[in-house]
Amino acid sequence: MSTVAGLSSYAVTEANSRGRQWPEAPPTGRSEFQRDRDRIIHSTAFRRLEYKTQVFVNHEGDLFRTRLTHSIEVAQLTRSIARALGLNEDLAEAIALAHDLGHPPFGHAGQDALNACMKDFGGFEHNLQSLRTVDLLEEHYAAFDGLNLTYETREGILKHCSLPHAARLGELGQRFINGTQPSIEAQLANLADEIAYNNHDVDDGLRSGLITLEQLDAVSIFADHRRAVEAKWPGLGGRKLIHETVRLMVNSMALDLIAQTRSNIADAGIRNLDDVHAAPRLVSYSDAQLPRLRDLKVFLRENLYWHYQVLRMTDKARRIIGDLFSAFMADPRLLPPQYQLKSREDKARAIADYIAGMTDRYAIKEHRRLFAVGEIH
Ligand code: MG
């Protein structure tokens, strides 16, 4: 069933790609999707991910995941699984590296706060903002705004989208309206994101001391893997026990996804990319795995994301973003000159773009510059 070296017949290839918005000469020495990946890595938004929160604010500790290390872990998982399934690894990697480019500072609290601020101005969705970043906001090339990525990478970046927004996105928004599916590479990057954060949040949560090994005994997917590690390595404790357990969990989630996806592809009789678009979602966990993952997510939500120390941080983040937005809306002359210029076309959107581009520490500094009495500039 192989058409291009090592690829399944249902993989995205350069031959079945819908190409780029602005025509460009084909790359030399690398594929179109490798070129996408390279452009993403060299973008400004990608470098900013280093100072954006995943769960813990960047300055809370040097060992916690940031949005950058999270994105690298998602790319690693996506590549491994893509290779096992004979998919286009380069495309899958590009999607994974770009998936959080539009995320505002302070993790989900930042997204929710900015969305609330933008309620009367079309809302704020971080997936859509990732697309906006690669399509419009990056200023790197003379011939076009944005990075001029391939259709398939852009399709993968846009994993969710509300119907009103989809209607304005032309071809790219169609699937949200007619219920078709994106490439398997895109579906995969979406679930690899979930595997990455469910596991690294357990690791970071334990490292921070906000959750404990004893609490995790009630979560079967963790407890079972911990028992397996202890059976093999009696007496193992500390960081090694945690890492071995998390490592096994990542592996078992990836293997379950690969096996179930393979069987979904076979059952649906998928032969090519058109079949992929028309079929129900093909990348999935097994029925046995789903409730175990749900338990883990519920545990993380109740014990880590809603931990009072995390909530204090997210509450502060919400206030910072709300304050910045209100101050700029009240007087756009407080914006840096390039955003003042953009704010003449669409004030609220220009302000949202400015805030979404901020790193955690930049937002904190900007808040201090605007609100702290005694700050000069
Ligand atoms: Mg993510």
Side-chain angles (χ1 to χ4, degrees), residues 39-110:
R39 287 183 177 185
I40 291 158
I41 288 176
H42 288 274
S43 71
T44 309
F46 188 72
R47 281 193 301 283
R48 286 176 174 157
L49 295 176
E50 182 175 4
Y51 298 105
K52 290 194 179 200
T53 294
Q54 186 64 31
V55 173
F56 296 90
V57 174
N58 177 270
H59 59 253
E60 288 184 307
D62 290 347
L63 293 174
F64 297 127
R65 268 68 173 188
T66 65
R67 218 156 265 286
L68 178 64
T69 62
H70 161 72
S71 299
I72 293 170
E73 289 184 30
V74 177
Q76 177 275 315
L77 278 164
T78 307
R79 272 198 88 117
S80 294
I81 300 171
R83 184 176 296 198
L85 292 170
L87 301 170
N88 191 319
E89 268 183 74
D90 297 328
L91 168 63
E93 183 185 25
I95 295 169
L97 289 173
H99 86 281
D100 270 346
L101 285 182
H103 218 294
F106 309 121
H108 281 286

Side-chain angles (χ1 to χ4, degrees), residues 133-199:
T133 305
V134 301
D135 279 359
L136 282 174
L137 300 180
E138 282 289 321
E139 296 177 327
H140 277 251
Y141 302 95
F144 42 78
D145 287 335
L147 306 179
N148 196 31
L149 302 181
T150 60
Y151 178 91
E152 290 72 21
T153 300
R154 297 169 61 236
E155 171 193 64
I157 291 172
L158 194 65
K159 70 177 170 193
H160 308 294
C161 180
S162 61
L163 286 180
H165 282 136
R168 287 197 291 272
L169 284 172
E171 201 186 357
L172 205 64
Q174 269 309 305
R175 75 179 154 94
F176 299 97
I177 296 161
N178 61 23
T180 53
Q181 298 297 329
S183 67
I184 308 182
E185 286 83 348
Q187 297 181 36
L188 170 59
N190 190 0
L191 284 196
D193 181 22
E194 203 180 285
I195 297 180
Y197 68 68
N198 281 328
N199 285 287

Side-chain angles (χ1 to χ4, degrees), residues 115-307:
N115 190 30
C117 295
M118 289 293 287
K119 173 166 64 57
D120 298 329
F121 310 101
F124 180 89
E125 299 170 20
H126 75 265
N127 278 294
L128 202 55
Q129 190 69 12
S130 295
L131 184 68
R132 189 171 161 78
T133 305
V134 301
D135 279 359
L136 282 174
L137 300 180
E138 282 289 321
E139 296 177 327
H140 277 251
Y141 302 95
F144 42 78
D145 287 335
L147 306 179
N148 196 31
L149 302 181
T150 60
Y151 178 91
E152 290 72 21
T153 300
R154 297 169 61 236
E155 171 193 64
I157 291 172
L158 194 65
K159 70 177 170 193
H160 308 294
C161 180
S162 61
L163 286 180
H165 282 136
R168 287 197 291 272
L169 284 172
E171 201 186 357
L172 205 64
Q174 269 309 305
R175 75 179 154 94
F176 299 97
I177 296 161
N178 61 23
T180 53
Q181 298 297 329
S183 67
I184 308 182
E185 286 83 348
Q187 297 181 36
L188 170 59
N190 190 0
L191 284 196
D193 181 22
E194 203 180 285
I195 297 180
Y197 68 68
N198 281 328
N199 285 287
H200 67 48
D201 288 352
V202 168
D203 186 38
D204 282 353
L206 287 168
R207 187 186 300 279
S208 68
L210 299 187
I211 57 173
T212 64
L213 279 173
E214 291 65 42
Q215 284 177 305
L216 277 161
D217 261 344
V219 182
S220 72
I221 196 164
F222 185 91
D224 291 352
H225 287 111
R226 179 184 168 180
R227 300 291 164 256
V229 172
E230 286 169 337
K232 193 171 173 198
W233 304 97
L236 192 70
R239 294 300 314 166
K240 285 193 173 180
L241 172 64
I242 295 169
H243 281 148
E244 283 286 352
T245 306
V246 171
R247 190 169 80 92
L248 279 191
M249 276 205 300
V250 172
N251 200 46
S252 79
M253 287 181 200
L255 293 179
D256 179 80
L257 196 75
I258 291 167
Q260 187 60 45
T261 301
R262 261 198 200 120
S263 98
N264 293 345
I265 289 169
D267 290 351
I270 304 295
R271 287 151 308 157
N272 54 43
L273 192 55
D274 287 337
D275 292 345
V276 171
H277 293 309
R281 195 161 277 270
L282 293 163
V283 179
S284 73
Y285 301 107
S286 65
D287 286 344
Q289 185 80 308
L290 276 171
R292 285 155 65 83
L293 285 173
R294 207 172 305 127
D295 287 350
L296 175 61
K297 282 180 165 196
V298 170
F299 172 84
L300 285 170
R301 190 172 60 226
E302 289 175 353
N303 297 283
L304 183 62
Y305 311 142
W306 291 350
H307 190 286

